Amino acid sequence: MGIEVKVPTLGESITEATLGQWLKKPGDAVAADEPIASLETDKVSVDVPSPVAGVFGDPLVKEGDTVGVGAVIATVNEGSAGAAPAANVATQPASSPTSAPTPAQPAVAPSNGELTDAQAADLRLSPAVRRAVLEAHIDPSSIRGSGKDGRLTKDDVLQAAQAKKSPSPAESQGAAPTNSSAPAAAVPTPGRNEERVKMTRLRQTVARRLKEAQNTAALLTTFNDVDMTEVIAARARYKDLFEKKHGIRLGFMGFFVKAAALAARDVPAVNASIEGDEIVYRDYLDVSVAVSAPKGLVVPVIRSADRMGFAEIEKAIAGFGKKAKDGTLTQADMTGGTFTISNGGVFGSLLSTPIINPPQSAVLGMHRIEERPVVKDGQIVARPMMYLALSYDHRLIDGREAVTFLVRMKEAIEDPTRLLIDL
């Protein structure tokens, strides 16, 4: 009997996850604490380590299955002896409820007697690839996998299906007499492919929370534009000295975080939240900074950003960006947050209406900087301008407060000296 591998504790209030990928195959040698599976929670990916050194035994769940905390998902046989790979969770093409048993069987069953190979190949199929195999009626053992460890990818299946669609006398002569049932649907038009991919838990959570915000909050967005001339000049003047002293580049986000902290002191409702019939005001600012990760947008939190210097803010943002790319953000990194700043400008966005992240009451949207004609001292001049958007919960924040907040930010960005003398 192997040692059980259980789903570890995933964080406060998280009770289940999705098994994203098996990192080991039956019979593979594993070291103690070596990751053998990757789980996807609402916000982060979590590796499941092997409890002992030995040989990976039986996976008890499939990729894409939902598992609870403490659930047994696999076994590991202690010791160094090779264990025979188990015929575990293979899903045979004939078991698909959507395929007709009589006509579909000849198309799927291999004619060369390699059933054992087909079963072995099927053990390594991801849910998306297995679905493609069933839809294309292709023997997976006849396809050479281009993925890691020889695993089949969806592209491999699609290419094999395309090759199978080329004119074949054997196919046309051996057609079953019952081919009148939807023959046209089996031949998709070349160049018009579709792919169905199950939503990740992260994407499902983002969708649920954004819809929840629209359903519960009275959302409104107000705009202003900011002349970035002084910030750009200050950054150009001090960026080399800043990087030499602090070991980090001076970006624009530090200016906006500091300006938001300054504005929130004058308009505390922007940093507050509604809990039941009470309003919770805070004397600290925990800024959620939207960061792009390979699996979607995540919002790690800079704690007490109002008490941090430019270098501390920039280091925190850079650290979160690296962790997001590496997939090492933790639940603690993203818990909390009292106000969000989202910078769509890095992707070229000119204007947007961001949606708040409940229970927060406001989110600031930054956008791209572009030169536009503006009037300064009676003269039309070209200036680097940026649109700012503040989306807020109108149940708590009045329009006057939202406008005041953006005006305070505009004043601080256009005259960065205000950030130093607390004006």
Side-chain angles (χ1 to χ4, degrees), residues 93 125 128-140 143 152 157:
L125 301 185
V129 174
R130 186 177 294 114
R131 189 182 303 113
V133 167
L134 294 177
E135 291 174 351
H137 299 294
I138 289 181
D139 173 14
I143 309 172
L152 291 183
V157 179

Side-chain angles (χ1 to χ4, degrees), residues 53-221:
V55 177
F56 185 60
D58 299 332
L60 305 180
V61 296
K62 295 178 290 184
E63 292 178 350
D65 284 357
T66 298
V67 292
V69 172
V72 179
I73 60 172
T75 59
V76 173
N77 301 310
E78 265 191 292
S80 58
N88 52 336
V89 290
T91 304
Q92 296 300 330
S95 66
S96 170
T98 60
S99 58
T102 304
Q105 284 285 17
V108 179
S111 57
N112 56 4
E114 292 183 304
L115 264 179
T116 304
D117 292 341
Q119 292 172 345
D122 196 40
L123 286 174
R124 300 191 296 274
L125 301 185
S126 69
V129 174
R130 186 177 294 114
R131 189 182 303 113
V133 167
L134 294 177
E135 291 174 351
H137 299 294
I138 289 181
D139 173 14
S141 68
S142 65
I143 309 172
R144 188 181 189 89
S146 63
K148 182 180 179 182
D149 298 327
R151 291 182 60 161
L152 291 183
T153 66
K154 190 163 184 178
D155 286 340
D156 296 333
V157 179
L158 292 177
Q159 290 176 9
Q162 201 69 23
K164 184 182 176 184
K165 290 190 184 83
S166 54
S168 169
E171 276 190 348
S172 57
Q173 293 174 5
T178 57
N179 61 355
S180 59
S181 55
V187 185
T189 305
R192 289 170 54 84
N193 298 321
E194 292 183 356
E195 181 179 6
R196 293 177 181 268
V197 180
K198 184 177 176 63
M199 292 175 69
T200 63
R201 291 187 68 87
L202 173 60
R203 178 51 55 188
Q204 292 179 47
T205 301
V206 169
R208 186 184 71 249
R209 289 180 63 82
L210 293 182
K211 189 58 183 171
E212 173 190 326
Q214 288 185 320
N215 291 341
T216 59
L219 287 177
L220 186 63
T221 304

